[in-house]
Amino acid sequence: MQKTDDGQHAHKKPPVLEVRDLVKNFGGLRALNRCSLKVAEGTITGLIGPNGAGKTTLFNAITGFFQPDSGRVLTDGQDITSLPPHGVFNRGICRTFQIPREHGTMTVLENLMLVVPDQAGERFWNCWFRPELVHRQEREIRDRAMEVLDFVNLTHLADELAGRLSGGQKKLLELARTLMAEPRLVLLDEPAAGVNRTLMKRLSENIEYLRRERGITFLLIEHDMDLVMRLCDPVIVMSEGRRLMEGHPEEVRNDPHVLEAYLGGQYGAA
């Protein structure tokens, strides 16, 4: 509870994402072991840990790709545990994948235009009886998509087939596709993997701008510790399917258990 200026009690705003005691088993393997964490609105929260710690499984459970065996996922205090992926998407939660999932035989521009839900042209009768509506909406979506491509510096590739992009360009395209959905929370799965330093700098600058200027919250899985320490606050460490610790980058950087188990001591204090 928080007190207002007149002394009255006001309810504290719930986190944009809360995970409570999630459990997910695959046969005899427990990938999530009563995992709990919170993501505050307007943060770039890092999620680190060794391979097999359960990070991507957690993303899949949050976004409806996996149904947990027990536990809850909440956004703004509302339970979304049982929602399918499109239901989570409609709540303003978008994600990218470690391996980009672009529509390779469609152009970069078409990949973005496809994201917008409930387009009039999706109903065939509108094409016959309301063609003006369909054309007007397509122009608006196209203009918006071009603005997003300009933001991620992919305008020059608008008419290129998405399957022909480099790995780094595909990561930028993934970010652009999430922006077309106007998300409140974006889950990024290893955005730096396979990306050269120039494109990674551009991607990280875009993420910081979107947090600062548009209020988008980010939760990102990443193995590039330099990027995590520079971009994320707080940082959550996972181990064996649950949260090991959470803190500011320097706290994580200097925690002896994290240094020994996950960072190999190379990021310790000088």
Side-chain angles (χ1 to χ4, degrees):
M1 278 292 190
Q2 292 179 325
K3 279 191 175 181
T4 59
D5 291 339
D6 61 2
Q8 299 296 315
H9 287 287
H11 288 287
K12 184 178 180 181
K13 188 175 182 179
V16 66
L17 176 69
E18 182 175 3
V19 172
R20 295 182 184 173
D21 296 322
L22 278 194
V23 173
K24 181 61 181 177
N25 297 309
F26 296 98
L29 173 65
R30 174 155 291 190
L32 295 176
N33 186 16
R34 299 186 64 83
C35 182
S36 297
L37 57 84
K38 297 179 181 180
V39 176
E41 187 171 14
T43 62
I44 302 175
T45 299
L47 186 62
I48 67 173
N51 291 328
K55 304 182 296 298
T56 297
T57 301
L58 177 62
F59 268 28
N60 286 330
I62 291 170
T63 53
F65 287 86
F66 292 158
Q67 283 297 307
D69 297 309
S70 62
R72 300 171 67 197
V73 179
L74 302 97
T75 180
D76 299 319
Q78 297 184 339
D79 195 330
I80 61 169
T81 313
S82 61
L83 292 181
H86 69 270
V88 177
F89 174 86
N90 290 336
R91 294 297 183 94
I93 299 176
C94 297
R95 69 166 296 180
T96 66
F97 293 86
Q98 183 177 351
I99 300 174
R101 298 188 177 186
E102 76 285 347
H103 299 285
T105 58
M106 301 177 69
T107 69
V108 168
L109 179 60
E110 289 168 342
N111 267 262
L112 266 63
M113 294 181 66
L114 188 66
V115 172
V116 180
D118 299 323
Q119 298 184 39
E122 294 174 353
R123 299 170 180 84
F124 69 88
W125 56 83
N126 283 332
C127 299
W128 294 343
F129 302 113
R130 307 176 71 188
E132 299 85 0
L133 171 64
V134 173
H135 293 154
R136 183 176 71 251
Q137 189 181 62
E138 284 186 353
R139 286 194 302 270
E140 292 171 352
I141 294 173
R142 179 186 176 87
D143 290 344
R144 183 169 146 209
M146 291 302 295
E147 290 178 1
V148 172
L149 288 178
D150 182 61
F151 174 72
V152 297
N153 295 307
L154 290 179
T155 307
H156 62 293
L157 295 172
D159 297 321
E160 182 68 73
L161 292 179
R164 296 178 179 173
L165 300 184
S166 70
Q169 290 167 339
K170 288 180 180 180
K171 291 295 180 72
L172 289 171
L173 175 59
E174 287 248 305
L175 178 61
R177 289 172 64 189
T178 66
L179 297 181
M180 288 296 293
E182 299 184 343
R184 293 189 58 237
L185 171 64
V186 177
L187 280 60
L188 301 172
D189 194 346
E190 296 197 34
V195 179
N196 65 49
R197 287 295 170 182
T198 299
L199 287 180
M200 190 60 245
K201 183 175 184 295
R202 184 183 304 167
L203 183 59
S204 60
E205 288 173 349
N206 288 345
I207 292 169
E208 175 55 36
Y209 174 87
L210 292 167
R211 181 202 66 80
R212 184 179 66 250
E213 301 297 331
R214 300 192 187 179
I216 298 176
T217 303
F218 290 89
L219 174 63
L220 66 95
I221 295 171
E222 189 50 67
H223 288 289
D224 185 331
M225 291 300 106
D226 289 329
L227 175 65
V228 170
M229 297 301 163
R230 184 174 68 251
L231 187 63
C232 301
D233 191 7
V235 176
I236 298 171
V237 185
M238 282 190 69
S239 174
E240 298 179 342
R242 65 172 65 190
R243 185 185 66 174
L244 175 66
M245 72 161 293
E246 176 179 346
H248 297 297
E250 283 303 312
E251 293 179 280
V252 173
R253 180 177 184 142
N254 292 292
D255 184 278
H257 300 292
V258 175
L259 292 173
E260 179 180 358
Y262 306 110
L263 305 182
Q266 61 180 312
Y267 292 94

